[in-house]
Amino acid sequence: MIDALDARIVRLYTLEPRISVLEASRQLGIARATVSSRLEKLQASGAIRSWAPSLDPGSFGYPVLAFCFLTIEQPHGHDRVVDALVDIPEIIEVHTVSGESDLLVKVAARSNSDLQRVLDAMAVTEVVVRSSTVLALNTHFEARTLPLFEAAAK
């Protein structure tokens, strides 16, 4: 379980990801050991998944963002498709979904024609039967989990 103190610590690290544990303890008015143990607990539980930097594909040459709905060859199953898709670096996320499609794939591309190349790479896996692609015109926010984490602490 998480509590209000966990939420305060995570909020601070979300706003200032490079802050030291000592400075966090000063700003939060709690012991350094408390901050450290809480962070370790949150990481061990999986609530904090990574300390890796958040990368923006548009800033390093991949400004086109698309969401592809894939229908797969059912006898092959999802694992075979995911194993094939993981080798395509432009694929950022893959989710199994309900509805008419089987997978939702988030893709970054250099241009629309580059997106077509990525779509073709997905199609040649021979396990994708059909795809439908939607281009993102603007991103208002993404990876927005802090409000959810804070709500869980209440």
Side-chain angles (χ1 to χ4, degrees):
M1 294 297 299
I2 58 173
D3 61 19
L5 180 55
D6 291 330
R8 287 178 56 216
I9 292 169
V10 169
R11 172 171 280 287
L12 178 60
Y13 273 90
T14 300
L15 298 174
E16 299 182 49
R18 295 179 59 159
I19 193 171
S20 70
V21 172
L22 179 60
E23 182 57 28
S25 71
R26 287 181 185 150
Q27 287 190 29
L28 295 167
I30 59 176
R32 180 179 174 193
T34 301
V35 174
S36 184
S37 68
R38 293 291 184 115
L39 289 172
E40 288 173 15
K41 176 191 81 164
L42 290 166
Q43 193 168 4
S45 73
I48 295 177
R49 290 192 291 194
S50 173
W51 294 101
S54 176
L55 303 174
D56 176 15
S59 71
F60 51 89
Y62 293 84
V64 175
L65 179 63
F67 295 91
C68 305
F69 296 92
L70 304 182
T71 303
I72 64 169
E73 189 75 43
Q74 293 299 320
H76 296 298
H78 292 86
D79 291 340
R80 182 166 171 208
V81 179
V82 171
D83 289 344
L85 297 179
V86 76
D87 292 329
I88 303 170
E90 293 84 0
I91 296 178
I92 299 171
E93 297 176 14
V94 178
H95 304 273
T96 298
V97 295
S98 63
E100 292 183 26
S101 300
D102 300 303
L103 297 171
L104 173 61
V105 178
K106 183 177 178 182
V107 176
R110 293 184 182 277
S111 63
N112 287 350
S113 60
D114 187 46
L115 176 60
Q116 182 62 59
R117 178 191 57 78
V118 176
L119 294 172
D120 291 345
M122 287 190 282
V124 299
T125 63
E126 297 181 3
V127 287
V128 174
V129 175
R130 183 172 43 99
S131 70
S132 173
T133 302
V134 177
L135 291 175
L137 301 177
N138 191 11
T139 299
H140 300 281
F141 57 81
E142 61 186 352
R144 184 179 170 254
T145 55
L146 182 59
L148 182 61
F149 186 86
E150 290 174 330
K154 293 179 182 178

